[in-house]
Each structure stands twice: as C-alpha cells, then as structure tokens.
Amino acid sequence: AWNGGWYVVNSNVTIGNRVTVSGNVRLILADGAVLTIEKGIQVQDDDRDPSNGSANQLTIYAQSVGENMGTLTASGGENAAGIGGGNNGSGGTVTIHGGNVTASGGFYAAGIGGGKGGSGGTITIHGGNVTATCGSLAAGIGGGWKGSGGTITIHGGSVTATGGQDAAGIGGGYFASGGTITINGGE
C-alpha cells in the first residue's frame, strides 16, 4: 500500500502484488529508473480518502524530461485496470506529468481508468510517453466493460491508447458513454 505522501523510484524495482493507493500519493520516477508493478496500481474512487472524503489520487512525475526519463509499467490483475479501479471499481484521480508510463488492463478493464464495470474517474495527462491498452471490451484510457469514460484531459505528451472490441481508445468501455474528453495538445 502507498498511503498519502511522496515516493521516489531511483533504481530498478519490481513489485509482484497490486499496489493500493490511499489518499494523495505522488510518485517520482528518477532518471533511468524502472518500476514494474506486475498486478497494477489500484487508484479507486469508491475507496475514498477518509481524511477529506475525496477520491484517492496518484500523480506521476519524471525527474527530468528527455531520453533518460524513468519508466513505470503496470499490468492490471484479473478484471482490474493497470492504473485505476479494481473489479467493479471506478478509477480515482490519476495525473501524469512525465515519464515513460505503460499501463495494460486485465480482462474487461481499462489500461488507465476503470476496472470491469467501473468508470474512468478523472485522468489528466500533461506530458510524458503514455501507452495504455485494455484487456477486452474496455477503453485504453477511460471506462472498463460497461463503464463510462469519466473526465479525461490531455494537455501534452505522447499518448497511445488502444481500446478493445466495441470500446473506445479514449472514452467509454463496451456499451457505455464516452464521458467528458478534452484534448488541448500533445500527440
């Protein structure tokens, strides 16, 4: 579990379990560092921060911008997003300022956003290289199976989002609405 506060990855680290974010967590990827989380990062809206009642939040930073940016790879477990909600869970608040971030959802779950049956939550990308793929019938960034896209804003960076069958790359999962999507820049 990561409880509210700052976390720094400054070497190559592999975590075999799903990491649960509680409160407001800020993660810094140091230059050249590689963090692999084999069962993803749970940032879930319905596991609200008891101190202020808001959705749990994860903010990802790179130490610097360039070819040597740190790397985060998160793969969702069964029915869980790579970064976001677990089974039947909606994503909390995920903000990416930099880094090489790759997130892949488990079965029926988004790469970044909702788990199976969950909406995307609030996702904001300011920079970095972000690649998000779903498990099946879910969005790359946004809702899981039958989950709406939530609120997605992209200001910059390079973003590649691949949705599953009958789902959006960015937006809603299978049989769900797209939510609110704003793209101001980036690739």
Side-chain angles (χ1 to χ4, degrees), residues 9-33:
V9 179
N10 57 14
S11 62
N12 293 348
V13 177
T14 299
I15 299 174
N17 296 318
R18 188 160 178 84
V19 172
T20 301
V21 167
S22 298
N24 188 0
V25 171
R26 296 171 182 94
L27 175 67
I28 298 173
L29 302 171
D31 290 346

Side-chain angles (χ1 to χ4, degrees), residues 106-184:
F107 198 59
Y108 288 168
I112 302 173
K116 177 183 176 185
S119 70
T122 302
I123 302 163
T124 305
I125 300 171
H126 294 283
N129 300 313
V130 179
T131 302
T133 56
C134 72
S136 176
L137 302 174
I141 298 174
W145 173 78
K146 293 193 175 180
S148 68
T151 302
I152 302 165
T153 306
I154 299 172
H155 295 289
S158 175
V159 179
T160 303
T162 305
Q165 179 182 350
D166 298 324
I170 299 174
Y174 175 76
F175 262 101
S177 67
T180 301
I181 302 167
T182 304
I183 300 176
N184 295 316

Side-chain angles (χ1 to χ4, degrees), residues 21-89:
V21 167
S22 298
N24 188 0
V25 171
R26 296 171 182 94
L27 175 67
I28 298 173
L29 302 171
D31 290 346
V34 177
L35 174 60
T36 302
I37 303 180
E38 295 177 347
K39 295 186 179 173
I41 304 172
Q42 184 143 319
V43 186
Q44 196 158 290
D45 179 43
D46 51 0
D47 293 337
R48 291 186 169 260
D49 179 0
S51 66
N52 61 19
S54 68
N56 294 307
Q57 303 171 50
L58 174 65
T59 304
I60 300 168
Y61 301 92
Q63 177 182 352
S64 63
V65 177
E67 293 180 15
N68 199 31
M69 282 190 301
T71 297
L72 166 63
T73 301
S75 303
E78 185 175 342
N79 298 327
I83 301 173
N87 189 22
N88 291 317

